[in-house]
Amino acid sequence: MAEEKQRRRRGGGRAGNAERRGTAVIDQMPWNPPVNIDRPTEPLTEEGVLAIHEGAMRILEEIGIEILNPEAVELFRAHGGSTINGENVRMGRDYVMEMVAQAPESWTITPRNPERTITIGGKHLNFGNVSSPPSYWDMEIGRKVTGTREMCANLLKLSQFFNCIHFVGGYPVEPQDIHASVRHLDVLYDKLTLTDKVAHAYCLGKERVEDVMEMVRIAGGHSDAEFEADPKMYSNINSTSPLKHDYPMLDGWIRLARRNQGLVVTPFTLAGAMAPVTMSGAVAQSLAEGLIAIVLAQIVRPGACCAIGTFTSNVDMKSGAPAFGTPEYMRATQMTGQLARFYKLPMRASGVCAANVPDAQATWETSNSLWSAVQAGANMVYHAAGWLEGGLIASPEKFVMDCEILQQIQRYMDPSLTATGPDEIAFDAIQEVGDQGHFFGIQHTQDRYTTAFYQPFLSDWRNYEAWEAAGAVWTAQRAHQTYKDIIASFEAPPMDEGIREELAAFVERRKSEGGAPTDF
Amino acid sequence: MAEEKQRRRRGGGRAGNAERRGTAVIDQMPWNPPVNIDRPTEPLTEEGVLAIHEGAMRILEEIGIEILNPEAVELFRAHGGSTINGENVRMGRDYVMEMVAQAPESWTITPRNPERTITIGGKHLNFGNVSSPPSYWDMEIGRKVTGTREMCANLLKLSQFFNCIHFVGGYPVEPQDIHASVRHLDVLYDKLTLTDKVAHAYCLGKERVEDVMEMVRIAGGHSDAEFEADPKMYSNINSTSPLKHDYPMLDGWIRLARRNQGLVVTPFTLAGAMAPVTMSGAVAQSLAEGLIAIVLAQIVRPGACCAIGTFTSNVDMKSGAPAFGTPEYMRATQMTGQLARFYKLPMRASGVCAANVPDAQATWETSNSLWSAVQAGANMVYHAAGWLEGGLIASPEKFVMDCEILQQIQRYMDPSLTATGPDEIAFDAIQEVGDQGHFFGIQHTQDRYTTAFYQPFLSDWRNYEAWEAAGAVWTAQRAHQTYKDIIASFEAPPMDEGIREELAAFVERRKSEGGAPTDF
């Protein structure tokens, strides 16, 4: 079959190799987290916004949320304003709104390299790498395999290399060749030495959270006071939908709030499974589960830096499997954006898909989810690069492909594209060319052509014949080569040798102490 | 390489065959041209809109457009309002606005099956097939080949089969095995018998235009008076940018206007080549070239049904090759949408890409262009399915993949997704499930699960293991099988036998008369 011939040619040949060499150094956009200049897409009327708010408030007032963490329950009790019944916590809307109003509308996270500081709030749009898949797939291996430390490190290198990745979320793949008790120590050592961008801690037990906060403090060369002056890192917790928050997530949430780090709560409300089959009901439930965590953070530290996340999607009603980047997902994300603005809270969304390999389906599902995050006015976009199979697989080819889309979103937000000054209307240039010739050679073009248009690093704009002569390489295969080239030429960002040694010593000491318990 | 193994497995195997059989009948959405419920994305301020309008008006007032058609020049002269200098025609903005105001804001096209009537204007969104590529590619052939009548007929069958294709534009591929003098007769016979949707005529000489209008009249069983009572078909013309309209396009334009058929004018203004390198300048030039054709149509027939099209994109400044679905393309489309509303004219946009094969690049470029058409408030989206290599290649796999995206756009526009009534907020369902169990089994879900969510026909939502066991088939290969299954089971829409014979007799007679001259 022609398809197979294509694959064989893809495998080698002088033209093919030339094509590969051509991608060795990619010309990417500089570090420049975009500002979202578009008016958000708002499918809800004002009445619709109020209807979902009413739903979320009635859930908190009449049903309540199960808080499976005694310390958290005690904090709610001591602060007053809540009705406690065992682990069930309810609260009135006035109290909720008063507490949520204490959360800042916008805040920053400052990593060890202050030039990589990001702003969470307002019109600021930040993209992060895929986080937490247990498995890995690349075109060379050609099948789904268990994640390792090397795979994790390579994906961290991609996260550092691409300027369109603004923060480094959870583990880009779970390195299951490291024992769970010390995994956080090795991966954070890799993350803090291979990248200089904003880092994240999992809320999986007090040792992990405290270790990661300490390692981030050390990497930044901060005193405790400096570390706690403003967020230097963040965490994300998920409620256990429906209507529950479990022990370790809330434990970490409280610890990070006490040390003034960034707090993101993201209920995983799959419509039809853990939430109502109707999207506005799933959004209302998600908001109720998220808002109570933000109230808790404000109890611990008035003014704690919080963001509300959405992970509301639908399931395949034939199999119950989660679906992503669907029309329902896009609308749920946009609706959540409207409510996040209603509560004056920064918002987190995601770049996700259900596809198993980096093909066309993966692209339309991921593109739909990324654009809906943009349209929702999201400030943090998790999993923006490298996610496959509903988050069960991380793929370097998908990572590279997604970064091409992310760069295009960054360029799309450049106000120069829609500028309408005399130089842009270019009447004189139009008059100069008239009805003859073309605009290539004129001064107006010469003055601008190097920067006038976005230049992709992965798209192949050659005609079919030139593309075929170069090996007829499809996108995923080009992305594989780009990934290989980036890893081969990767240089870690500079780090003070004393700090590196202090980090290594901390890891050694904590390992000798046994790391973290693994009894959950 | 694993990739190759995958391809071999894809080639066959029981699981693979089962997968293929599974797609034999696809469950597609019903015929239902969407209504665009979103507020358009508007990157231009009011001042920006006026600046582009000012630029377009100055082009028409101070530079003028070359009208390479003596009859058209004479029509402008006789009507007054224009300043004629040889073939150069200029006109003042008051005259332009007065004439353009005569064009209806919304109009319909009624094909031979009145149930397939489409509305051009308002919030109505209609998708059409790829039009006019000289070449064809499919996965079985595996290379770029010259279009034939059979390939063209197969793409017409896809255009009829998919309910998300609302009109049939130009030839989905140029059947170069038919002599140019009679090609229009054979293809229109195929189009009018294989489809019952809105048809199109190329403005390539009076014989072709008159023949096609006559064939559409016959297919609809109309008298001349019925045919001319309102549009039964349409044409699209392109200006010869910069600032020219050529003879045959305007000749057809005038003939269709006289018989009250649909008129779409779409300048092909590549920024940096045939238009300024700055997008707002390219848009201003495109509008000037388009508006003068609409003025001409109003001279021929006050109230003539017109739409203004955009095909403004950027070039690859390294090669001069056109690029599509870029950030600049998206913004130019959105800006044109703002100006189309300013002129109260229906709008046409496109679903396009530069990619050579139906891979991930093809998907993000096409998805970007389709969504920008939606965001622009376009009423007709040309080339919405099947386009590759900047329009030089038509592909049935790409056609099927694009229809999956088009269905998702249709579903995205369903107001039920964002409804916020009590049944959708579902407080009682949330209370019923509480913090235990899940929503699968409850009545609220059971009452809705069959229609609650979009069901894709091409996306594979199975987990990796099930997908792998079924042959590990990537999207393009699944689309190939879907295409084959659709063609194998295709049934042409019913047509009165007398009408079919009349059409066939017309084709025979015109062929015996030599068809159309081919001297241009």
Side-chain angles (χ1 to χ4, degrees):
Chain A
M1 208 172 84
E3 168 71 355
E4 297 201 23
K5 187 165 92 260
Q6 230 164 23
R7 288 297 170 286
R8 280 198 302 278
R9 293 175 52 183
R10 174 182 302 180
R14 273 187 300 110
N17 293 332
E19 159 67 22
R20 285 158 185 62
R21 279 195 304 276
T23 65
V25 174
I26 74 163
D27 181 15
Q28 68 170 320
M29 294 172 83
W31 168 270
N32 183 24
V35 172
N36 189 335
I37 61 175
D38 282 353
R39 175 194 175 102
T41 301
E42 303 197 317
L44 295 176
T45 61
E46 193 175 325
E47 296 65 35
V49 170
L50 293 175
I52 291 177
H53 168 60
E54 173 73 16
M57 293 302 108
R58 285 192 65 198
I59 292 168
L60 291 173
E61 289 171 336
E62 303 175 40
I63 305 175
I65 307 292
E66 302 302 300
I67 301 297
L68 309 182
N69 181 302
E71 182 182 15
V73 173
E74 190 46 44
L75 283 163
F76 280 118
R77 187 195 317 277
H79 194 262
S82 304
T83 305
I84 317 282
N85 182 359
E87 294 174 322
N88 179 271
V89 177
R90 306 182 198 191
M91 53 190 65
R93 65 190 65 198
D94 294 346
Y95 178 66
V96 172
M97 296 304 279
E98 172 201 328
M99 295 303 286
V100 168
Q102 295 180 26
E105 286 186 55
S106 182
W107 41 281
T108 60
I109 314 179
T110 306
R112 72 175 177 96
N113 177 358
E115 292 175 4
R116 305 295 197 201
T117 299
I118 59 175
T119 302
I120 310 301
K123 296 283 188 183
H124 297 277
L125 178 57
N126 302 284
F127 301 121
N129 58 284
V130 61
S131 301
S132 313
S135 299
Y136 175 94
W137 182 99
D138 74 24
M139 293 190 92
E140 196 169 337
I141 297 172
R143 64 184 198 284
K144 182 180 180 179
V145 295
T146 298
T148 67
R149 184 176 185 176
E150 183 188 4
M151 296 166 186
C152 181
N154 283 342
L155 291 164
L156 287 171
K157 291 173 182 177
L158 292 181
S159 303
Q160 174 67 16
F161 175 83
F162 280 106
N163 294 323
C164 59
I165 298 300
H166 306 117
F167 62 92
V168 184
Y171 310 158
V173 68
E174 278 282 340
Q176 298 179 60
D177 55 345
I178 310 175
H179 190 275
S181 63
V182 297
R183 186 178 300 162
H184 65 290
L185 297 167
D186 285 338
V187 177
L188 261 292
Y189 181 83
D190 291 348
K191 183 187 287 189
L192 291 169
T193 52
L194 293 174
T195 86
D196 63 1
K197 299 176 182 179
V198 163
H200 156 283
Y202 286 106
C203 289
L204 292 173
K206 71 175 194 298
E207 294 81 2
R208 289 184 180 80
V209 171
E210 298 291 352
D211 285 348
V212 172
M213 284 195 287
E214 194 59 10
M215 290 177 76
V216 171
R217 185 193 64 75
I218 292 168
H222 300 301
S223 66
D224 285 340
E226 289 166 343
F227 179 73
E228 297 178 12
D230 49 57
K232 305 298 188 302
M233 55 174 287
Y234 77 98
S235 185
N236 178 87
I237 68 168
N238 308 108
S239 48
T240 309
S241 303
L243 307 182
K244 280 190 299 293
H245 280 284
D246 69 13
Y247 178 85
M249 290 283 182
L250 290 181
D251 177 78
W253 184 259
I254 292 167
R255 292 174 186 278
L256 266 77
R258 291 206 168 110
R259 297 198 70 182
N260 198 25
Q261 302 304 305
L263 300 162
V264 182
V265 55
T266 309
F268 185 23
T269 40
L270 277 179
M274 302 90 100
V277 73
T278 43
M279 300 317 288
S280 60
V283 169
Q285 181 186 314
S286 177
L287 290 166
E289 295 175 5
L291 289 172
I292 197 169
I294 290 171
V295 169
L296 175 62
Q298 300 306 316
I299 291 173
V300 174
R301 172 184 287 269
C305 296
C306 299
I308 192 149
T310 175
F311 215 83
T312 299
S313 191
N314 57 294
V315 296
D316 176 356
M317 293 309 289
K318 290 182 298 191
S319 67
F324 295 100
T326 62
E328 294 80 11
Y329 176 97
M330 295 179 77
R331 288 306 195 185
T333 304
Q334 294 164 355
M335 290 192 282
T336 303
Q338 288 187 261
L339 272 296
R341 287 186 291 281
F342 176 83
Y343 296 117
K344 298 186 163 50
L345 290 169
M347 178 189 175
R348 168 239 153 140
S350 304
V352 288
C353 64
N356 295 308
V357 282
D359 62 357
Q361 178 189 334
T363 305
W364 73 59
E365 289 176 336
T366 303
S367 179
N368 283 353
S369 59
L370 287 173
W371 280 110
S372 68
V374 170
Q375 293 155 356
N379 304 108
M380 297 183 88
V381 184
Y382 254 57
H383 311 300
W387 159 298
L388 285 174
E389 202 201 1
L392 296 177
I393 294 176
S395 157
E397 293 87 1
K398 177 67 162 36
F399 198 113
V400 170
M401 288 159 55
D402 290 340
C403 285
E404 176 62 69
I405 295 175
L406 296 178
Q407 281 210 157
Q408 292 182 44
I409 291 172
Q410 289 204 172
R411 169 68 180 177
Y412 170 87
M413 290 302 178
D414 183 337
S416 71
L417 272 62
T418 53
T420 56
D423 286 354
E424 286 85 26
I425 300 296
F427 178 82
D428 297 342
I430 293 167
Q431 193 163 41
E432 176 185 352
V433 174
D435 61 284
Q436 301 299 328
H438 56 69
F439 289 73
F440 281 118
I442 65 168
Q443 196 59 43
H444 181 267
T445 305
Q446 291 301 312
D447 292 344
R448 296 167 176 80
Y449 81 93
T450 55
T451 57
F453 307 133
Y454 173 70
Q455 279 292 338
F457 66 83
L458 186 59
S459 300
D460 191 326
W461 284 351
R462 291 175 293 190
N463 65 25
Y464 186 92
E465 292 70 21
W467 170 83
E468 186 177 43
V473 185
W474 288 40
T475 305
Q477 186 68 36
R478 294 199 302 271
H480 177 75
Q481 190 58 46
T482 301
Y483 145 65
K484 289 293 207 181
D485 295 338
I486 291 170
I487 299 305
S489 61
F490 180 79
E491 293 177 11
M495 173 178 265
D496 175 89
E497 199 43 48
I499 287 179
R500 182 187 302 275
E501 288 164 8
E502 190 180 350
L503 265 183
F506 179 88
V507 168
E508 279 320 297
R509 177 171 66 77
R510 290 290 299 117
K511 283 186 175 180
S512 67
E513 296 168 0
T518 56
D519 56 353
F520 60 77
Chain B
M1 205 173 89
E3 168 71 355
E4 296 197 30
K5 186 166 93 257
Q6 225 165 26
R7 289 298 172 285
R8 280 198 301 278
R9 294 173 52 183
R10 173 182 299 178
R14 272 187 301 107
N17 293 332
E19 160 68 18
R20 284 158 186 62
R21 277 196 304 277
T23 65
V25 174
I26 73 162
D27 182 14
Q28 68 170 319
M29 294 172 80
W31 167 271
N32 183 25
V35 172
N36 189 337
I37 61 175
D38 282 352
R39 176 195 175 103
T41 301
E42 302 196 318
L44 296 175
T45 61
E46 194 173 325
E47 296 65 34
V49 170
L50 293 174
I52 291 177
H53 168 60
E54 173 73 16
M57 293 301 108
R58 285 192 66 198
I59 292 167
L60 292 173
E61 290 171 336
E62 302 175 38
I63 304 174
I65 308 292
E66 302 301 300
I67 301 297
L68 309 182
N69 181 302
E71 182 182 14
V73 172
E74 190 46 43
L75 284 162
F76 281 118
R77 186 194 317 278
H79 193 263
S82 306
T83 305
I84 316 285
N85 181 1
E87 293 175 322
N88 179 272
V89 178
R90 307 182 197 191
M91 53 191 63
R93 65 189 64 195
D94 294 349
Y95 178 66
V96 173
M97 297 302 281
E98 171 201 328
M99 296 303 287
V100 168
Q102 295 181 28
E105 287 186 54
S106 181
W107 41 279
T108 61
I109 315 179
T110 307
R112 71 174 176 95
N113 176 357
E115 294 176 1
R116 304 294 194 205
T117 299
I118 59 175
T119 301
I120 311 301
K123 295 284 190 184
H124 297 276
L125 178 58
N126 303 284
F127 301 121
N129 59 285
V130 61
S131 301
S132 312
S135 300
Y136 174 94
W137 182 98
D138 73 25
M139 292 191 92
E140 196 169 337
I141 296 172
R143 64 184 199 284
K144 182 180 180 180
V145 295
T146 299
T148 67
R149 184 175 185 176
E150 183 187 4
M151 296 167 185
C152 181
N154 283 342
L155 291 164
L156 287 172
K157 291 174 182 176
L158 292 181
S159 303
Q160 174 65 17
F161 175 83
F162 280 106
N163 294 323
C164 60
I165 298 298
H166 307 117
F167 62 93
V168 184
Y171 310 158
V173 68
E174 278 283 338
Q176 297 180 61
D177 55 345
I178 309 175
H179 190 274
S181 62
V182 297
R183 186 178 300 161
H184 64 291
L185 298 166
D186 285 338
V187 177
L188 262 293
Y189 181 84
D190 292 348
K191 182 186 289 188
L192 291 169
T193 53
L194 293 174
T195 87
D196 63 1
K197 299 177 181 179
V198 164
H200 156 283
Y202 285 106
C203 290
L204 294 171
K206 71 175 193 297
E207 294 81 3
R208 290 185 178 81
V209 171
E210 297 292 350
D211 285 346
V212 171
M213 285 197 286
E214 193 60 10
M215 291 177 74
V216 171
R217 184 194 64 76
I218 292 167
H222 300 301
S223 66
D224 286 341
E226 290 166 343
F227 179 74
E228 297 176 10
D230 49 56
K232 305 299 190 301
M233 55 175 286
Y234 77 99
S235 185
N236 178 87
I237 68 167
N238 307 106
S239 49
T240 310
S241 303
L243 307 182
K244 279 190 297 296
H245 280 283
D246 70 10
Y247 178 86
M249 291 282 182
L250 290 181
D251 177 79
W253 186 258
I254 293 167
R255 292 174 184 279
L256 266 79
R258 290 208 168 106
R259 298 199 69 181
N260 197 25
Q261 302 306 305
L263 300 162
V264 182
V265 55
T266 309
F268 185 22
T269 40
L270 277 180
M274 304 89 100
V277 72
T278 43
M279 302 315 289
S280 60
V283 168
Q285 181 186 314
S286 177
L287 289 166
E289 295 176 6
L291 289 171
I292 197 169
I294 291 171
V295 170
L296 175 61
Q298 301 307 314
I299 291 174
V300 173
R301 171 186 288 267
C305 296
C306 298
I308 192 150
T310 176
F311 215 82
T312 299
S313 190
N314 57 295
V315 294
D316 176 356
M317 293 309 288
K318 290 182 298 190
S319 67
F324 295 100
T326 61
E328 294 80 11
Y329 176 97
M330 296 178 77
R331 288 305 195 185
T333 304
Q334 294 165 355
M335 290 193 281
T336 303
Q338 288 187 259
L339 272 295
R341 288 187 290 282
F342 177 82
Y343 296 117
K344 296 185 162 52
L345 291 169
M347 178 190 175
R348 168 239 153 140
S350 304
V352 288
C353 65
N356 295 307
V357 282
D359 62 358
Q361 177 190 334
T363 304
W364 72 59
E365 290 177 334
T366 302
S367 179
N368 284 352
S369 58
L370 287 172
W371 280 108
S372 68
V374 170
Q375 293 156 355
N379 305 109
M380 298 182 87
V381 184
Y382 254 58
H383 311 300
W387 159 299
L388 285 173
E389 202 201 2
L392 296 177
I393 295 176
S395 158
E397 293 87 1
K398 177 66 161 37
F399 197 112
V400 171
M401 288 158 56
D402 291 340
C403 285
E404 177 60 69
I405 295 175
L406 295 179
Q407 281 209 157
Q408 293 183 43
I409 292 173
Q410 290 203 171
R411 170 67 179 178
Y412 171 87
M413 290 302 177
D414 183 337
S416 72
L417 273 61
T418 53
T420 55
D423 287 352
E424 287 85 25
I425 300 296
F427 178 82
D428 296 342
I430 293 167
Q431 193 163 41
E432 176 184 351
V433 174
D435 61 287
Q436 300 300 327
H438 56 71
F439 289 73
F440 281 119
I442 66 169
Q443 196 59 44
H444 181 268
T445 304
Q446 291 302 312
D447 292 344
R448 295 166 176 80
Y449 81 93
T450 56
T451 56
F453 307 133
Y454 173 70
Q455 279 293 337
F457 65 84
L458 186 59
S459 301
D460 190 327
W461 285 350
R462 292 175 294 190
N463 65 24
Y464 186 92
E465 291 70 20
W467 169 84
E468 185 176 43
V473 185
W474 289 39
T475 305
Q477 187 68 40
R478 295 200 301 270
H480 178 75
Q481 191 57 45
T482 301
Y483 144 66
K484 288 294 209 180
D485 295 337
I486 291 170
I487 298 304
S489 61
F490 181 79
E491 292 178 12
M495 173 179 265
D496 175 89
E497 200 44 49
I499 286 179
R500 183 189 302 275
E501 286 163 8
E502 189 179 351
L503 264 183
F506 179 88
V507 168
E508 279 321 298
R509 177 171 65 76
R510 291 290 297 118
K511 283 186 174 180
S512 69
E513 295 167 1
T518 54
D519 55 354
F520 59 77

